[in-house]
Amino acid sequence: MKKELELWENYGPLFSFEERNVFFEDTAELEFYRHLRGRHPGRCLELGAGDGRLAAVLSGRDITVALEPSAAMLDCWSEEDGERVARLRATAQSIPLKMGSIDLALFPYNGLHCILDRVERLEVLRGVSELLAEGGVFVSETCPQFSDREDETDTLRYSFSKGDECLRLVESVSHRFDDGFMGTGRIYFDMTYTGTIAPGGRTRLMLEMALISAGEYLEDLRGSGMSIMSVWGDYDMSPWDGESSPRLLVRAVRSTR
């Protein structure tokens, strides 16, 4: 865990700069979470809230708690976003909230892949289940297609320049599969950033993420004490298709106790 937190302290500002400057805003993603928040009012918890990119669409009449373990990420929040929701520095493995206190819990943007151990992920899911009020909803996003992604070496992802700001990313991608099974193991993103935004003009980071198959994840959700209500393949809520869906979005509810 300490290693992962150190990574995000270094990667957080670069990630935030990319999201706000290099890449186009994902309006489909924002509308998806805005729609969910509208359908499920009450107390909301966002796990892995990052730099506050969902703050505007999740805020409203009812309280929203944005949980984020990285101080560097929290420092990237704008003043406006910080006023919309309550920020909480904590990990998904240890959430300091009362059991049964949350009506809607969200784990967006493949945050579950950052929890490398399956046993630990299951414990996190059990903890989320305990946090949910009766009938409370949990919506999460994973990417089983990470297993199918081709390995790459020193691929230029982008070269961004605007005024005095510039950032260039060269990335290599590799896999390690457990017991030869494509659905489990690790995917590694070896990222070299150069430019005025990179600390010292050049920064190299290794992002390690768990490979999570759809079957494994659905099994773990059920094992955590939740019942699966919807399985979508994209932000338009189209049905999940194992071959063509770009992501796996699951809506689950706390099982009756």
Side-chain angles (χ1 to χ4, degrees):
M1 174 53 64
K2 182 179 179 181
K3 177 182 175 183
E4 287 84 357
L5 288 176
E6 288 178 354
L7 168 70
W8 282 97
E9 292 302 317
N10 294 313
Y11 182 33
L14 293 166
F15 175 89
S16 182
F17 183 86
E18 289 175 327
E19 290 294 306
R20 296 176 184 267
N21 297 278
V22 180
F23 303 131
F24 291 109
E25 184 176 74
D26 192 336
T27 56
E29 179 197 26
L30 295 178
E31 187 55 37
F32 173 79
Y33 285 105
R34 181 182 289 109
H35 174 73
L36 284 175
R37 189 66 175 115
R39 286 185 59 184
H40 302 288
R43 296 153 298 185
C44 177
L45 170 66
E46 181 191 0
L47 299 160
D51 66 348
R53 62 193 179 78
L54 293 184
V57 301
L58 296 180
S59 62
R61 178 180 62 182
D62 301 305
I63 188 171
T64 296
V65 175
L67 183 146
E68 170 56 45
S70 167
M73 274 292 202
L74 291 172
D75 286 343
C76 292
W77 283 56
S78 68
E79 290 185 9
E80 182 182 4
D81 288 338
E83 293 176 352
R84 294 176 188 272
V85 301
R87 285 175 289 177
L88 177 63
R89 188 183 179 195
T91 66
Q93 290 87 335
S94 181
I95 305 173
L97 297 176
K98 183 181 177 181
M99 289 190 299
S101 65
I102 298 298
D103 299 295
L104 173 65
L106 305 169
F107 210 151
Y109 208 62
N110 300 322
L112 274 161
H113 290 271
C114 295
I115 304 173
L116 300 178
D117 182 71
R118 183 180 181 182
V119 173
E120 192 174 357
R121 285 197 303 273
L122 181 55
E123 287 302 311
V124 167
L125 294 175
R126 286 172 177 157
V128 171
S129 179
E130 291 292 331
L131 284 174
L132 292 176
E134 195 71 39
V137 172
F138 175 53
V139 177
S140 55
E141 177 178 352
T142 58
C143 184
Q145 288 79 3
F146 277 153
S147 295
D148 300 326
R149 184 164 176 170
E150 293 185 1
D151 286 359
E152 301 176 67
T153 302
D154 294 335
T155 300
L156 176 63
R157 292 287 179 236
Y158 63 77
S159 185
F160 172 86
S161 179
K162 184 178 181 181
D164 295 332
E165 296 181 323
C166 62
L167 190 65
R168 184 174 187 265
L169 171 61
V170 174
E171 182 179 65
S172 298
V173 180
S174 60
H175 296 78
R176 189 202 76 203
F177 296 107
D178 291 344
D179 300 324
F181 177 57
M182 293 287 287
T184 61
R186 301 282 190 272
I187 183 169
Y188 301 90
F189 299 91
D190 186 351
M191 304 173 292
T192 299
Y193 289 92
T194 55
T196 60
I197 303 302
R202 184 181 188 275
T203 299
R204 183 179 179 185
L205 301 169
M206 177 70 77
L207 176 61
E208 180 180 2
M209 303 181 78
L211 298 176
I212 306 173
S213 70
E216 173 188 294
Y217 184 54
L218 296 177
E219 178 183 341
D220 287 349
L221 271 174
R222 296 186 183 99
S224 72
M226 287 186 263
S227 299
I228 296 170
M229 305 300 291
S230 307
V231 181
W232 300 305
D234 208 346
Y235 296 128
D236 60 2
M237 297 186 175
S238 55
W240 157 256
D241 183 302
E243 295 185 358
S244 62
S245 294
R247 53 188 52 85
L248 175 67
L249 296 153
V250 183
R251 181 169 64 105
V253 299
R254 197 192 86 168
S255 301
T256 302
R257 301 173 192 176

Coordinates of all heavy atoms in Angstrom, one line a residue, residues 218-254:
L218 N -17.6 -10.1 -10.8 CA -19.1 -10.3 -10.4 C -19.2 -11.3 -9.3 O -20.0 -11.2 -8.4 CB -19.8 -10.8 -11.6 CG -19.9 -9.8 -12.8 CD1 -20.6 -10.5 -14.0 CD2 -20.6 -8.5 -12.4
E219 N -18.3 -12.3 -9.3 CA -18.3 -13.3 -8.2 C -17.9 -12.6 -6.8 O -18.5 -12.9 -5.8 CB -17.2 -14.4 -8.5 CG -17.1 -15.4 -7.4 CD -16.0 -16.4 -7.7 OE1 -15.7 -16.6 -8.9 OE2 -15.5 -17.1 -6.8
D220 N -16.9 -11.7 -6.9 CA -16.5 -11.0 -5.7 C -17.6 -10.1 -5.2 O -17.8 -9.9 -3.9 CB -15.2 -10.3 -5.9 CG -14.0 -11.2 -6.0 OD1 -14.2 -12.4 -5.7 OD2 -12.9 -10.7 -6.4
L221 N -18.3 -9.4 -6.0 CA -19.4 -8.6 -5.6 C -20.5 -9.3 -4.9 O -20.9 -8.9 -3.8 CB -20.0 -7.9 -6.8 CG -19.5 -6.5 -7.3 CD1 -20.1 -6.1 -8.6 CD2 -19.6 -5.5 -6.2
R222 N -20.8 -10.5 -5.4 CA -21.8 -11.3 -4.7 C -21.3 -11.8 -3.4 O -22.0 -11.9 -2.4 CB -22.2 -12.5 -5.6 CG -22.9 -12.1 -6.9 CD -23.4 -13.3 -7.7 NE -24.0 -12.9 -9.0 CZ -23.3 -13.0 -10.2 NH1 -22.1 -13.4 -10.2 NH2 -24.0 -12.6 -11.3
G223 N -20.0 -12.2 -3.4 CA -19.4 -12.7 -2.1 C -19.3 -11.6 -1.1 O -19.1 -11.9 0.1
S224 N -19.4 -10.3 -1.5 CA -19.2 -9.2 -0.5 C -20.5 -8.9 0.2 O -20.5 -8.1 1.1 CB -18.7 -8.0 -1.2 OG -19.7 -7.4 -2.0
G225 N -21.6 -9.5 -0.2 CA -22.9 -9.2 0.4 C -23.8 -8.3 -0.4 O -24.7 -7.7 0.2
M226 N -23.5 -8.2 -1.7 CA -24.3 -7.3 -2.5 C -25.0 -8.2 -3.6 O -24.5 -9.2 -4.0 CB -23.4 -6.2 -3.2 CG -23.0 -5.2 -2.2 SD -22.1 -3.8 -3.0 CE -20.4 -4.2 -2.6
S227 N -26.1 -7.7 -4.1 CA -26.8 -8.3 -5.2 C -26.7 -7.4 -6.4 O -26.8 -6.2 -6.4 CB -28.3 -8.4 -4.8 OG -28.5 -9.2 -3.7
I228 N -26.4 -8.1 -7.6 CA -26.1 -7.3 -8.8 C -27.5 -7.0 -9.5 O -28.3 -7.9 -9.7 CB -25.2 -8.2 -9.7 CG1 -23.8 -8.3 -9.1 CG2 -25.1 -7.5 -11.1 CD1 -23.0 -9.3 -9.8
M229 N -27.7 -5.8 -9.8 CA -28.9 -5.3 -10.4 C -28.7 -5.0 -11.9 O -29.6 -5.3 -12.7 CB -29.4 -4.0 -9.7 CG -29.6 -4.2 -8.2 SD -30.8 -5.5 -7.8 CE -32.3 -4.7 -8.4
S230 N -27.6 -4.4 -12.3 CA -27.4 -4.1 -13.7 C -25.9 -4.3 -14.1 O -25.0 -4.0 -13.2 CB -27.7 -2.6 -14.0 OG -29.0 -2.3 -13.5
V231 N -25.7 -4.7 -15.3 CA -24.3 -4.9 -15.8 C -24.3 -4.2 -17.2 O -24.9 -4.6 -18.1 CB -23.9 -6.4 -16.0 CG1 -22.5 -6.5 -16.5 CG2 -24.1 -7.1 -14.6
W232 N -23.6 -3.1 -17.2 CA -23.5 -2.3 -18.5 C -22.1 -2.3 -19.1 O -21.1 -2.6 -18.4 CB -23.8 -0.8 -18.1 CG -25.2 -0.6 -17.5 CD1 -26.4 -0.9 -18.1 CD2 -25.4 0.1 -16.3 NE1 -27.4 -0.5 -17.2 CE2 -26.9 0.1 -16.2 CE3 -24.7 0.7 -15.3 CZ2 -27.5 0.7 -15.0 CZ3 -25.3 1.3 -14.2 CH2 -26.7 1.3 -14.1
G233 N -22.1 -2.1 -20.4 CA -20.8 -2.1 -21.1 C -20.2 -0.8 -21.5 O -19.1 -0.7 -22.0
D234 N -21.0 0.3 -21.2 CA -20.5 1.6 -21.5 C -21.3 2.6 -20.8 O -22.4 2.3 -20.2 CB -20.5 1.9 -23.0 CG -19.4 2.9 -23.4 OD1 -18.8 3.6 -22.5 OD2 -19.1 3.0 -24.6
Y235 N -20.9 3.9 -20.9 CA -21.6 4.9 -20.1 C -23.1 5.2 -20.7 O -23.9 5.8 -20.0 CB -20.8 6.2 -20.2 CG -19.5 6.2 -19.5 CD1 -18.3 6.5 -20.2 CD2 -19.4 5.7 -18.2 CE1 -17.1 6.5 -19.6 CE2 -18.2 5.6 -17.6 CZ -17.0 6.0 -18.3 OH -15.8 5.9 -17.6
D236 N -23.4 4.7 -21.9 CA -24.8 4.8 -22.4 C -25.7 3.7 -21.8 O -26.8 3.6 -22.2 CB -24.8 4.8 -23.9 CG -24.2 3.5 -24.5 OD1 -23.9 2.6 -23.7 OD2 -24.1 3.4 -25.7
M237 N -25.2 3.0 -20.9 CA -25.9 1.9 -20.2 C -26.3 0.8 -21.1 O -27.3 0.1 -20.9 CB -27.1 2.4 -19.5 CG -26.8 3.4 -18.3 SD -28.2 3.9 -17.4 CE -27.4 4.8 -16.1
S238 N -25.5 0.6 -22.2 CA -25.8 -0.5 -23.1 C -25.4 -1.8 -22.4 O -24.5 -1.8 -21.5 CB -24.9 -0.4 -24.4 OG -23.6 -0.2 -24.1
P239 N -26.0 -3.0 -22.7 CA -25.7 -4.2 -22.1 C -24.2 -4.6 -22.3 O -23.6 -4.3 -23.3 CB -26.6 -5.2 -22.7 CG -27.7 -4.4 -23.3 CD -27.1 -3.1 -23.7
W240 N -23.6 -5.2 -21.2 CA -22.3 -5.7 -21.3 C -22.1 -6.8 -22.4 O -22.9 -7.7 -22.5 CB -21.9 -6.2 -19.9 CG -20.7 -7.2 -19.9 CD1 -20.8 -8.6 -19.8 CD2 -19.3 -6.9 -20.1 NE1 -19.5 -9.1 -19.8 CE2 -18.6 -8.1 -20.0 CE3 -18.6 -5.7 -20.2 CZ2 -17.2 -8.1 -20.1 CZ3 -17.2 -5.7 -20.4 CH2 -16.5 -7.0 -20.3
D241 N -21.0 -6.6 -23.2 CA -20.7 -7.6 -24.2 C -19.2 -7.9 -24.0 O -18.3 -6.9 -24.1 CB -20.9 -7.1 -25.6 CG -20.6 -8.1 -26.7 OD1 -19.4 -8.6 -26.7 OD2 -21.5 -8.4 -27.5
G242 N -18.8 -9.1 -23.6 CA -17.5 -9.4 -23.3 C -16.4 -9.2 -24.4 O -15.3 -9.0 -24.1
E243 N -16.9 -9.1 -25.6 CA -15.9 -8.9 -26.7 C -15.8 -7.5 -27.2 O -14.8 -7.1 -27.6 CB -16.4 -9.8 -27.9 CG -16.3 -11.3 -27.7 CD -16.6 -12.1 -28.9 OE1 -16.9 -11.5 -29.9 OE2 -16.5 -13.4 -28.8
S244 N -16.9 -6.7 -27.1 CA -16.9 -5.4 -27.7 C -17.0 -4.2 -26.7 O -16.7 -3.1 -27.0 CB -18.0 -5.2 -28.7 OG -19.3 -5.4 -28.1
S245 N -17.5 -4.5 -25.5 CA -17.7 -3.4 -24.5 C -16.3 -2.8 -24.0 O -15.5 -3.6 -23.6 CB -18.5 -3.9 -23.3 OG -19.8 -4.3 -23.7
P246 N -16.2 -1.5 -24.0 CA -14.9 -0.9 -23.6 C -14.7 -0.9 -22.1 O -13.6 -0.7 -21.6 CB -15.1 0.5 -24.1 CG -16.5 0.8 -24.1 CD -17.2 -0.5 -24.5
R247 N -15.8 -1.1 -21.3 CA -15.7 -1.1 -19.9 C -16.8 -2.0 -19.3 O -17.7 -2.4 -19.9 CB -15.7 0.3 -19.3 CG -17.0 1.1 -19.8 CD -16.9 2.6 -19.4 NE -15.7 3.2 -19.8 CZ -15.4 3.7 -21.0 NH1 -16.4 3.7 -21.9 NH2 -14.3 4.3 -21.3
L248 N -16.6 -2.2 -18.0 CA -17.6 -3.0 -17.2 C -18.1 -2.1 -16.1 O -17.4 -1.8 -15.2 CB -17.0 -4.3 -16.7 CG -18.0 -5.2 -15.8 CD1 -19.1 -5.7 -16.6 CD2 -17.2 -6.3 -15.2
L249 N -19.4 -1.7 -16.2 CA -20.0 -0.9 -15.1 C -21.1 -1.8 -14.5 O -22.0 -2.3 -15.2 CB -20.7 0.3 -15.8 CG -19.7 1.3 -16.4 CD1 -20.3 2.1 -17.5 CD2 -19.1 2.2 -15.4
V250 N -21.1 -1.8 -13.1 CA -22.0 -2.7 -12.4 C -22.7 -1.9 -11.4 O -22.1 -1.2 -10.6 CB -21.2 -3.9 -11.8 CG1 -22.2 -4.8 -11.1 CG2 -20.4 -4.7 -12.8
R251 N -24.0 -2.1 -11.3 CA -24.8 -1.5 -10.3 C -25.3 -2.6 -9.4 O -25.9 -3.6 -9.8 CB -26.1 -0.8 -10.8 CG -27.0 -0.1 -9.8 CD -28.0 0.8 -10.5 NE -28.9 0.0 -11.3 CZ -30.2 -0.3 -11.0 NH1 -30.7 0.1 -9.8 NH2 -30.9 -0.9 -11.8
A252 N -25.0 -2.5 -8.1 CA -25.3 -3.5 -7.1 C -26.0 -2.9 -5.9 O -25.8 -1.7 -5.6 CB -24.1 -4.3 -6.7
V253 N -26.7 -3.6 -5.1 CA -27.4 -3.1 -3.9 C -27.0 -4.0 -2.8 O -26.6 -5.2 -2.9 CB -28.9 -3.1 -4.1 CG1 -29.3 -2.2 -5.2 CG2 -29.5 -4.5 -4.3
R254 N -27.0 -3.4 -1.6 CA -26.8 -4.2 -0.4 C -27.8 -5.3 -0.2 O -29.0 -4.9 -0.2 CB -26.7 -3.3 0.8 CG -26.0 -3.9 2.0 CD -26.3 -3.1 3.3 NE -27.6 -3.5 3.9 CZ -27.9 -3.1 5.1 NH1 -27.1 -2.3 5.8 NH2 -29.1 -3.5 5.6

